[in-house]
Amino acid sequence: MRSAIAIAHPNIALSKYWGKRAGVGNVPAVPSLSVTLAGLSTRTEVTFDDEISADALTLNGHAASATVTARASELLDRVRAAAGLSTRARVVSTNDFPTASGLASSASGFAALALAAVRAAGLDWDAPRVAALARQSSASAARSLFGGFVELDGEIARPVAGPDRIDLRVLVCVTTEGEKSISSRDGMSETARKSPYYAAWLEAAPRIHFALKEALLASDLARACELAEESALAMHASAFAANVIYVSGATLAALATVRSLRASGVGAWATMDAGPHLKCLVAAADVDRVKPALEKTEGVLRIIEARPGEGARVLGQGAEA
Ligand code: DP6
């Protein structure tokens, strides 16, 4: 038996990935830039075990569904092919935040799974190679291999700035503990198929992305966050027009809070992903002015405060006879 444990953190895209290039390999149609978050994590142990005849996945203490297990098996098959293994694996994964509700659990999940599987199989791959493996399962997962601010451009994920480049805090406004209704994969394919604004999104996204990257590298927090809100609104606008709606009343109430804070001169910006949680982007120095207003917003159940953090790493690995 060979096993390894890896930990990875979710990431929140500042400039969004929404839509895929035609063809195989799960390659994003637009470049994106994210921040990897400390304080939220997925811990995954992979054990290649000669005694079992099928991959088995336990997620947060429960056996995963056949669909979820099949997605993990696809990644494990790629690792087995590269390592010349045929052994099936036991995978035990836990998140310390709500799963599948737009909190990027697939990003940290596939990043931790890819790293643990590669190491358990005895492969000495570097982070870019592990990121490429994770990207095939979930493109945003490629970004969680790295810490700080991370770009995903086509097939390549790379860190662009360390966690301290800007003094950013992310206030994750949790609006439900439930699962999201439509996966990002389905949401993006519906958007590409049906939205009259998808072409406009494909044109706007790279412009927003490169301006945001420039603002970040100039350590301009306000400009970077303003562009992050612009990216999120453009992405959701294109999805809305395809009848793909992730926001709830609580999301919109929190968005109104953020915008009224900004109108009163407080630096607060919003971003949303494929789920109803709003993430408020704020300078560390402004957290005490922003958090109480969001806590009072109807429908916001609780707030998770996160800061830029580290990339995925191995916690332990071992080989037993
Ligand atoms: C809205 O990475 O979950 O969070 O590659 O199909 O697994 P797949 O999609 P996924 O999409 C993430 C979409 C997003 C924006 C982002 O993280 O860039």
PDB file of all heavy atoms in Angstrom, residues 11 13 15-18 20 26 32 71 106 135 137-141 143 184-185 188 235 272-274, ligand 1:
ATOM      1  N   ASN A  11      -9.631  28.721  -4.069  1.00  0.00           N
ATOM      2  CA  ASN A  11      -9.234  30.036  -4.566  1.00  0.00           C
ATOM      3  C   ASN A  11     -10.466  30.750  -5.076  1.00  0.00           C
ATOM      4  O   ASN A  11     -11.445  30.110  -5.467  1.00  0.00           O
ATOM      5  CB  ASN A  11      -8.153  29.902  -5.652  1.00  0.00           C
ATOM      6  CG  ASN A  11      -8.673  29.244  -6.922  1.00  0.00           C
ATOM      7  OD1 ASN A  11      -9.378  29.870  -7.706  1.00  0.00           O
ATOM      8  ND2 ASN A  11      -8.334  27.965  -7.119  1.00  0.00           N
ATOM      9  N   ALA A  13     -11.660  33.490  -7.887  1.00  0.00           N
ATOM     10  CA  ALA A  13     -11.183  34.192  -9.076  1.00  0.00           C
ATOM     11  C   ALA A  13     -11.509  35.671  -8.965  1.00  0.00           C
ATOM     12  O   ALA A  13     -12.655  36.039  -8.654  1.00  0.00           O
ATOM     13  CB  ALA A  13     -11.830  33.607 -10.317  1.00  0.00           C
ATOM     14  N   SER A  15     -10.385  37.817 -11.697  1.00  0.00           N
ATOM     15  CA  SER A  15     -10.916  37.809 -13.076  1.00  0.00           C
ATOM     16  C   SER A  15     -11.349  36.374 -13.349  1.00  0.00           C
ATOM     17  O   SER A  15     -10.625  35.424 -13.072  1.00  0.00           O
ATOM     18  CB  SER A  15      -9.880  38.306 -14.082  1.00  0.00           C
ATOM     19  OG  SER A  15      -8.722  37.499 -14.091  1.00  0.00           O
ATOM     20  N   LYS A  16     -12.572  36.230 -13.865  1.00  0.00           N
ATOM     21  CA  LYS A  16     -13.214  34.906 -13.909  1.00  0.00           C
ATOM     22  C   LYS A  16     -12.877  34.091 -15.154  1.00  0.00           C
ATOM     23  O   LYS A  16     -12.743  34.638 -16.246  1.00  0.00           O
ATOM     24  CB  LYS A  16     -14.740  35.056 -13.897  1.00  0.00           C
ATOM     25  CG  LYS A  16     -15.316  35.828 -12.725  1.00  0.00           C
ATOM     26  CD  LYS A  16     -15.143  35.105 -11.413  1.00  0.00           C
ATOM     27  CE  LYS A  16     -15.798  35.885 -10.280  1.00  0.00           C
ATOM     28  NZ  LYS A  16     -15.367  35.367  -8.966  1.00  0.00           N
ATOM     29  N   TYR A  17     -12.843  32.789 -14.921  1.00  0.00           N
ATOM     30  CA  TYR A  17     -12.864  31.780 -16.002  1.00  0.00           C
ATOM     31  C   TYR A  17     -14.324  31.397 -16.185  1.00  0.00           C
ATOM     32  O   TYR A  17     -14.985  30.985 -15.227  1.00  0.00           O
ATOM     33  CB  TYR A  17     -12.000  30.602 -15.557  1.00  0.00           C
ATOM     34  CG  TYR A  17     -12.434  29.208 -15.967  1.00  0.00           C
ATOM     35  CD1 TYR A  17     -12.738  28.897 -17.299  1.00  0.00           C
ATOM     36  CD2 TYR A  17     -12.494  28.194 -15.018  1.00  0.00           C
ATOM     37  CE1 TYR A  17     -13.115  27.606 -17.649  1.00  0.00           C
ATOM     38  CE2 TYR A  17     -12.861  26.897 -15.357  1.00  0.00           C
ATOM     39  CZ  TYR A  17     -13.177  26.607 -16.674  1.00  0.00           C
ATOM     40  OH  TYR A  17     -13.538  25.339 -17.015  1.00  0.00           O
ATOM     41  N   TRP A  18     -14.843  31.569 -17.380  1.00  0.00           N
ATOM     42  CA  TRP A  18     -16.218  31.117 -17.662  1.00  0.00           C
ATOM     43  C   TRP A  18     -16.266  30.758 -19.138  1.00  0.00           C
ATOM     44  O   TRP A  18     -16.154  31.632 -19.987  1.00  0.00           O
ATOM     45  CB  TRP A  18     -17.243  32.216 -17.308  1.00  0.00           C
ATOM     46  CG  TRP A  18     -18.653  31.703 -17.205  1.00  0.00           C
ATOM     47  CD1 TRP A  18     -19.694  31.962 -18.057  1.00  0.00           C
ATOM     48  CD2 TRP A  18     -19.179  30.834 -16.188  1.00  0.00           C
ATOM     49  NE1 TRP A  18     -20.822  31.300 -17.645  1.00  0.00           N
ATOM     50  CE2 TRP A  18     -20.530  30.599 -16.491  1.00  0.00           C
ATOM     51  CE3 TRP A  18     -18.626  30.213 -15.063  1.00  0.00           C
ATOM     52  CZ2 TRP A  18     -21.340  29.784 -15.697  1.00  0.00           C
ATOM     53  CZ3 TRP A  18     -19.436  29.399 -14.279  1.00  0.00           C
ATOM     54  CH2 TRP A  18     -20.777  29.210 -14.600  1.00  0.00           C
ATOM     55  N   LYS A  20     -15.223  27.318 -22.079  1.00  0.00           N
ATOM     56  CA  LYS A  20     -14.072  26.466 -22.432  1.00  0.00           C
ATOM     57  C   LYS A  20     -13.754  26.578 -23.919  1.00  0.00           C
ATOM     58  O   LYS A  20     -14.642  26.836 -24.724  1.00  0.00           O
ATOM     59  CB  LYS A  20     -14.408  25.001 -22.125  1.00  0.00           C
ATOM     60  CG  LYS A  20     -14.705  24.741 -20.669  1.00  0.00           C
ATOM     61  CD  LYS A  20     -15.177  23.302 -20.462  1.00  0.00           C
ATOM     62  CE  LYS A  20     -15.835  23.083 -19.099  1.00  0.00           C
ATOM     63  NZ  LYS A  20     -14.963  23.230 -17.955  1.00  0.00           N
ATOM     64  N   ASN A  26     -10.259  20.239 -21.286  1.00  0.00           N
ATOM     65  CA  ASN A  26     -10.791  21.211 -20.329  1.00  0.00           C
ATOM     66  C   ASN A  26      -9.927  22.470 -20.252  1.00  0.00           C
ATOM     67  O   ASN A  26      -9.407  22.825 -19.191  1.00  0.00           O
ATOM     68  CB  ASN A  26     -10.934  20.560 -18.939  1.00  0.00           C
ATOM     69  CG  ASN A  26     -11.913  21.334 -18.059  1.00  0.00           C
ATOM     70  OD1 ASN A  26     -12.906  21.874 -18.554  1.00  0.00           O
ATOM     71  ND2 ASN A  26     -11.636  21.405 -16.768  1.00  0.00           N
ATOM     72  N   SER A  32      -7.742  33.814 -16.450  1.00  0.00           N
ATOM     73  CA  SER A  32      -8.315  34.187 -15.152  1.00  0.00           C
ATOM     74  C   SER A  32      -7.191  34.412 -14.146  1.00  0.00           C
ATOM     75  O   SER A  32      -6.062  33.974 -14.347  1.00  0.00           O
ATOM     76  CB  SER A  32      -9.261  33.079 -14.660  1.00  0.00           C
ATOM     77  OG  SER A  32      -8.569  31.842 -14.565  1.00  0.00           O
ATOM     78  N   ARG A  71     -15.556  10.965 -11.370  1.00  0.00           N
ATOM     79  CA  ARG A  71     -14.685  12.113 -11.708  1.00  0.00           C
ATOM     80  C   ARG A  71     -13.318  11.979 -11.034  1.00  0.00           C
ATOM     81  O   ARG A  71     -12.300  12.317 -11.607  1.00  0.00           O
ATOM     82  CB  ARG A  71     -15.361  13.422 -11.290  1.00  0.00           C
ATOM     83  CG  ARG A  71     -15.865  14.197 -12.502  1.00  0.00           C
ATOM     84  CD  ARG A  71     -16.479  15.512 -12.137  1.00  0.00           C
ATOM     85  NE  ARG A  71     -15.642  16.649 -12.525  1.00  0.00           N
ATOM     86  CZ  ARG A  71     -15.950  17.914 -12.291  1.00  0.00           C
ATOM     87  NH1 ARG A  71     -17.069  18.210 -11.664  1.00  0.00           N
ATOM     88  NH2 ARG A  71     -15.151  18.889 -12.673  1.00  0.00           N
ATOM     89  N   SER A 106     -14.515  22.404  -5.497  1.00  0.00           N
ATOM     90  CA  SER A 106     -13.927  21.546  -6.530  1.00  0.00           C
ATOM     91  C   SER A 106     -12.490  21.974  -6.789  1.00  0.00           C
ATOM     92  O   SER A 106     -11.639  21.147  -7.096  1.00  0.00           O
ATOM     93  CB  SER A 106     -14.757  21.533  -7.816  1.00  0.00           C
ATOM     94  OG  SER A 106     -14.612  22.723  -8.527  1.00  0.00           O
ATOM     95  N   ARG A 135      -6.100  20.560 -13.690  1.00  0.00           N
ATOM     96  CA  ARG A 135      -6.890  21.366 -14.638  1.00  0.00           C
ATOM     97  C   ARG A 135      -7.810  20.504 -15.488  1.00  0.00           C
ATOM     98  O   ARG A 135      -8.938  20.895 -15.808  1.00  0.00           O
ATOM     99  CB  ARG A 135      -5.953  22.152 -15.561  1.00  0.00           C
ATOM    100  CG  ARG A 135      -6.663  23.255 -16.348  1.00  0.00           C
ATOM    101  CD  ARG A 135      -5.977  23.570 -17.659  1.00  0.00           C
ATOM    102  NE  ARG A 135      -6.196  22.514 -18.617  1.00  0.00           N
ATOM    103  CZ  ARG A 135      -5.250  21.753 -19.151  1.00  0.00           C
ATOM    104  NH1 ARG A 135      -3.973  21.926 -18.844  1.00  0.00           N
ATOM    105  NH2 ARG A 135      -5.558  20.784 -20.004  1.00  0.00           N
ATOM    106  N   SER A 137      -9.408  17.973 -14.632  1.00  0.00           N
ATOM    107  CA  SER A 137     -10.602  17.616 -13.860  1.00  0.00           C
ATOM    108  C   SER A 137     -11.465  18.824 -13.570  1.00  0.00           C
ATOM    109  O   SER A 137     -12.695  18.755 -13.611  1.00  0.00           O
ATOM    110  CB  SER A 137     -10.206  16.963 -12.538  1.00  0.00           C
ATOM    111  OG  SER A 137      -9.590  15.718 -12.783  1.00  0.00           O
ATOM    112  N   SER A 138     -10.839  19.937 -13.228  1.00  0.00           N
ATOM    113  CA  SER A 138     -11.569  21.174 -12.934  1.00  0.00           C
ATOM    114  C   SER A 138     -10.562  22.307 -13.115  1.00  0.00           C
ATOM    115  O   SER A 138      -9.542  22.354 -12.413  1.00  0.00           O
ATOM    116  CB  SER A 138     -12.087  21.132 -11.490  1.00  0.00           C
ATOM    117  OG  SER A 138     -12.886  22.259 -11.251  1.00  0.00           O
ATOM    118  N   ALA A 139     -10.830  23.172 -14.084  1.00  0.00           N
ATOM    119  CA  ALA A 139      -9.777  24.123 -14.476  1.00  0.00           C
ATOM    120  C   ALA A 139      -9.367  25.034 -13.322  1.00  0.00           C
ATOM    121  O   ALA A 139      -8.185  25.339 -13.149  1.00  0.00           O
ATOM    122  CB  ALA A 139     -10.227  24.929 -15.687  1.00  0.00           C
ATOM    123  N   SER A 140     -10.339  25.457 -12.506  1.00  0.00           N
ATOM    124  CA  SER A 140      -9.974  26.360 -11.405  1.00  0.00           C
ATOM    125  C   SER A 140      -9.059  25.656 -10.390  1.00  0.00           C
ATOM    126  O   SER A 140      -8.326  26.319  -9.653  1.00  0.00           O
ATOM    127  CB  SER A 140     -11.225  26.893 -10.711  1.00  0.00           C
ATOM    128  OG  SER A 140     -12.017  25.823 -10.253  1.00  0.00           O
ATOM    129  N   ALA A 141      -9.072  24.330 -10.355  1.00  0.00           N
ATOM    130  CA  ALA A 141      -8.219  23.580  -9.419  1.00  0.00           C
ATOM    131  C   ALA A 141      -6.735  23.793  -9.718  1.00  0.00           C
ATOM    132  O   ALA A 141      -5.904  23.748  -8.811  1.00  0.00           O
ATOM    133  CB  ALA A 141      -8.551  22.091  -9.473  1.00  0.00           C
ATOM    134  N   ARG A 143      -5.279  26.435 -10.291  1.00  0.00           N
ATOM    135  CA  ARG A 143      -4.785  27.633  -9.605  1.00  0.00           C
ATOM    136  C   ARG A 143      -4.493  27.354  -8.134  1.00  0.00           C
ATOM    137  O   ARG A 143      -3.668  28.030  -7.531  1.00  0.00           O
ATOM    138  CB  ARG A 143      -5.801  28.783  -9.759  1.00  0.00           C
ATOM    139  CG  ARG A 143      -6.054  29.187 -11.233  1.00  0.00           C
ATOM    140  CD  ARG A 143      -6.980  30.396 -11.333  1.00  0.00           C
ATOM    141  NE  ARG A 143      -8.185  30.204 -10.557  1.00  0.00           N
ATOM    142  CZ  ARG A 143      -9.431  30.334 -11.019  1.00  0.00           C
ATOM    143  NH1 ARG A 143      -9.654  30.693 -12.282  1.00  0.00           N
ATOM    144  NH2 ARG A 143     -10.455  30.124 -10.233  1.00  0.00           N
ATOM    145  N   SER A 184     -20.830  24.483 -12.288  1.00  0.00           N
ATOM    146  CA  SER A 184     -20.212  25.490 -13.161  1.00  0.00           C
ATOM    147  C   SER A 184     -20.016  24.918 -14.563  1.00  0.00           C
ATOM    148  O   SER A 184     -20.179  25.620 -15.552  1.00  0.00           O
ATOM    149  CB  SER A 184     -18.909  26.032 -12.576  1.00  0.00           C
ATOM    150  OG  SER A 184     -18.281  25.132 -11.758  1.00  0.00           O
ATOM    151  N   ARG A 185     -19.704  23.636 -14.619  1.00  0.00           N
ATOM    152  CA  ARG A 185     -19.502  23.008 -15.940  1.00  0.00           C
ATOM    153  C   ARG A 185     -20.758  23.147 -16.804  1.00  0.00           C
ATOM    154  O   ARG A 185     -20.711  23.600 -17.941  1.00  0.00           O
ATOM    155  CB  ARG A 185     -19.163  21.533 -15.731  1.00  0.00           C
ATOM    156  CG  ARG A 185     -18.895  20.786 -17.001  1.00  0.00           C
ATOM    157  CD  ARG A 185     -17.900  19.675 -16.792  1.00  0.00           C
ATOM    158  NE  ARG A 185     -16.628  20.170 -16.304  1.00  0.00           N
ATOM    159  CZ  ARG A 185     -15.524  19.425 -16.177  1.00  0.00           C
ATOM    160  NH1 ARG A 185     -15.572  18.145 -16.496  1.00  0.00           N
ATOM    161  NH2 ARG A 185     -14.404  19.947 -15.741  1.00  0.00           N
ATOM    162  N   MET A 188     -21.559  26.894 -17.605  1.00  0.00           N
ATOM    163  CA  MET A 188     -20.794  27.512 -18.693  1.00  0.00           C
ATOM    164  C   MET A 188     -21.168  26.951 -20.057  1.00  0.00           C
ATOM    165  O   MET A 188     -21.190  27.685 -21.043  1.00  0.00           O
ATOM    166  CB  MET A 188     -19.287  27.562 -18.486  1.00  0.00           C
ATOM    167  CG  MET A 188     -18.540  26.532 -17.834  1.00  0.00           C
ATOM    168  SD  MET A 188     -16.781  26.896 -17.670  1.00  0.00           S
ATOM    169  CE  MET A 188     -16.610  27.041 -15.924  1.00  0.00           C
ATOM    170  N   MET A 235     -19.489  38.276 -16.140  1.00  0.00           N
ATOM    171  CA  MET A 235     -19.692  36.826 -16.209  1.00  0.00           C
ATOM    172  C   MET A 235     -21.150  36.473 -15.891  1.00  0.00           C
ATOM    173  O   MET A 235     -21.793  35.718 -16.629  1.00  0.00           O
ATOM    174  CB  MET A 235     -18.758  36.130 -15.217  1.00  0.00           C
ATOM    175  CG  MET A 235     -18.953  34.640 -15.121  1.00  0.00           C
ATOM    176  SD  MET A 235     -18.427  33.974 -13.521  1.00  0.00           S
ATOM    177  CE  MET A 235     -19.920  33.107 -13.037  1.00  0.00           C
ATOM    178  N   MET A 272     -18.834  37.125  -7.154  1.00  0.00           N
ATOM    179  CA  MET A 272     -19.700  35.955  -6.956  1.00  0.00           C
ATOM    180  C   MET A 272     -19.298  34.880  -7.963  1.00  0.00           C
ATOM    181  O   MET A 272     -18.919  35.203  -9.087  1.00  0.00           O
ATOM    182  CB  MET A 272     -21.178  36.297  -7.231  1.00  0.00           C
ATOM    183  CG  MET A 272     -21.815  37.274  -6.287  1.00  0.00           C
ATOM    184  SD  MET A 272     -21.565  38.995  -6.804  1.00  0.00           S
ATOM    185  CE  MET A 272     -22.644  39.115  -8.205  1.00  0.00           C
ATOM    186  N   ASP A 273     -19.442  33.634  -7.557  1.00  0.00           N
ATOM    187  CA  ASP A 273     -19.100  32.530  -8.456  1.00  0.00           C
ATOM    188  C   ASP A 273     -20.355  31.702  -8.752  1.00  0.00           C
ATOM    189  O   ASP A 273     -21.449  32.232  -8.724  1.00  0.00           O
ATOM    190  CB  ASP A 273     -17.947  31.735  -7.841  1.00  0.00           C
ATOM    191  CG  ASP A 273     -16.697  32.612  -7.794  1.00  0.00           C
ATOM    192  OD1 ASP A 273     -16.159  32.906  -8.862  1.00  0.00           O
ATOM    193  OD2 ASP A 273     -16.317  33.055  -6.690  1.00  0.00           O
ATOM    194  N   ALA A 274     -20.158  30.416  -8.996  1.00  0.00           N
ATOM    195  CA  ALA A 274     -21.296  29.591  -9.383  1.00  0.00           C
ATOM    196  C   ALA A 274     -22.086  29.135  -8.161  1.00  0.00           C
ATOM    197  O   ALA A 274     -22.302  27.944  -7.937  1.00  0.00           O
ATOM    198  CB  ALA A 274     -20.806  28.414 -10.203  1.00  0.00           C
TER     199      ALA A 274
HETATM  200  C1  DP6 B   1     -17.240  30.812 -11.582  1.00  0.00           C
HETATM  201  O1  DP6 B   1     -13.269  25.256 -12.468  1.00  0.00           O
HETATM  202  O2  DP6 B   1     -15.496  24.683 -11.431  1.00  0.00           O
HETATM  203  O3  DP6 B   1     -15.655  29.730 -10.195  1.00  0.00           O
HETATM  204  O4  DP6 B   1     -13.351  23.365 -15.201  1.00  0.00           O
HETATM  205  O5  DP6 B   1     -15.735  22.767 -15.517  1.00  0.00           O
HETATM  206  O6  DP6 B   1     -14.598  22.150 -13.391  1.00  0.00           O
HETATM  207  P1  DP6 B   1     -14.683  23.138 -14.535  1.00  0.00           P
HETATM  208  O7  DP6 B   1     -15.172  24.509 -13.910  1.00  0.00           O
HETATM  209  P2  DP6 B   1     -14.732  25.227 -12.575  1.00  0.00           P
HETATM  210  O8  DP6 B   1     -15.274  26.713 -12.884  1.00  0.00           O
HETATM  211  C2  DP6 B   1     -15.011  27.800 -12.059  1.00  0.00           C
HETATM  212  C3  DP6 B   1     -15.903  28.928 -12.444  1.00  0.00           C
HETATM  213  C4  DP6 B   1     -15.877  30.130 -11.504  1.00  0.00           C
HETATM  214  C5  DP6 B   1     -14.842  31.146 -11.964  1.00  0.00           C
HETATM  215  C6  DP6 B   1     -13.403  30.823 -11.670  1.00  0.00           C
HETATM  216  O9  DP6 B   1     -13.107  30.145 -10.669  1.00  0.00           O
HETATM  217  O10 DP6 B   1     -12.550  31.318 -12.432  1.00  0.00           O
END
